[in-house]
């Protein structure tokens, strides 16, 4: 039997998952409909053209527009898939379906991988994005990781998932 606390936690998980789903949907939609804006971001980060240009690091730069654009399209596809997974998870939370937590976890982990491994580790360290005053997405990536991490923790609190209430 569901307790008031478990109902509140479940509602919280539903609304937080919906928030991240909405955010991710808007990011993916923006990248698709305004392709050129963030395309330039990805190109500059991968080209490392606004870093300190240390000879010991510059061999890492990817200057091929084809490879840069392929990376950008991969990011958009990943964001779109994560948005779809999180939207489906939100639907399951709203229906109090026992697989809501599992689907949320998959979508949230997709975002943690994209922004943690992709933007902070690969972009920030491998391509030295932290050195750029103009093309530095580390602060934005950190915000997304914090939000996503908090939602992941809330969805895994005892009593949050519909199956926990039974």
């Amino acid at each position: 039997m569901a307790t008031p606390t478990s109902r509140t936690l479940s509602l919280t998980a539903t609304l937080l998952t919906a928030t991240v789903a909405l955010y991710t949907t808007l990011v993916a939609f923006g990248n698709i409909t305004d392709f050129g804006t963030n395309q330039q971001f990805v190109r500059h980060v991968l080209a490392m053209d606004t870093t300190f240009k240390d000879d010991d690091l510059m061999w890492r730069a990817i200057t091929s527009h084809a490879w840069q654009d392929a990376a950008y399209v991969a990011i958009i596809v990943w964001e779109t898939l994560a948005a779809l997974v999180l939207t489906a998870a939100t639907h399951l939370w709203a229906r109090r379906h026992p697989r809501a937590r599992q689907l949320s976890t998959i979508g949230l982990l997709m975002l943690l991988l994209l922004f943690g491994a992709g933007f902070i580790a690969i972009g920030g360290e491998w391509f030295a994005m932290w050195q750029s005053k103009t093309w530095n997405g580390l602060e934005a990536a950190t915000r997304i990781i914090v939000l996503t991490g908090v939602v992941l923790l809330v969805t895994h609190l005892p009593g949050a998932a519909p199956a926990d209430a039974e």
Side-chain angles (χ1 to χ4, degrees):
M1 178 175 196
T3 66
T5 300
S6 67
R7 283 192 297 271
T8 302
L9 279 173
S10 183
L11 176 61
T12 302
T14 303
L15 295 175
L16 288 174
T17 300
T19 299
V20 178
L22 174 63
Y23 172 78
T24 307
T25 299
L26 292 173
V27 168
F29 180 76
N31 284 337
I32 292 166
T33 60
D34 183 19
F35 189 85
T37 299
N38 282 328
Q39 176 189 37
Q40 292 308 308
F41 174 86
V42 171
R43 283 184 173 182
H44 285 288
V45 169
L46 296 181
M48 300 174 66
D49 57 1
T50 60
T51 65
F52 301 160
K53 294 193 172 87
D54 182 338
D55 289 338
D56 293 332
L57 297 179
M58 290 308 293
W59 64 270
R60 300 176 184 178
I62 297 173
T63 56
S64 162
H65 282 204
W67 283 109
Q68 293 167 346
D69 292 348
Y72 182 45
V73 168
I75 291 167
I76 294 171
V77 168
W78 191 263
E79 289 168 343
T80 302
L81 290 173
L84 291 170
V85 169
L86 289 167
T87 299
T90 299
H91 177 74
L92 292 180
W93 280 110
R95 294 181 43 139
R96 301 200 43 81
H97 192 281
R99 291 197 53 200
R101 176 186 282 159
Q102 180 184 18
L103 206 54
S104 286
T105 300
I106 292 167
L108 295 167
L109 286 175
M110 288 176 74
L111 291 179
L112 289 172
L113 285 171
L114 176 62
F115 290 99
F119 282 78
I120 291 178
I122 295 171
E125 289 302 317
W126 186 256
F127 292 106
M129 180 170 56
W130 65 271
Q131 294 179 3
S132 177
K133 288 183 176 19
T134 309
W135 303 102
N136 187 337
L138 293 175
E139 186 179 318
T142 301
R143 280 193 312 266
I144 296 163
I145 287 173
V146 169
L147 172 63
T148 303
V150 167
V151 176
L152 184 62
L153 290 173
V154 168
T155 62
H156 281 270
L157 288 173
D164 293 344
E166 295 173 1

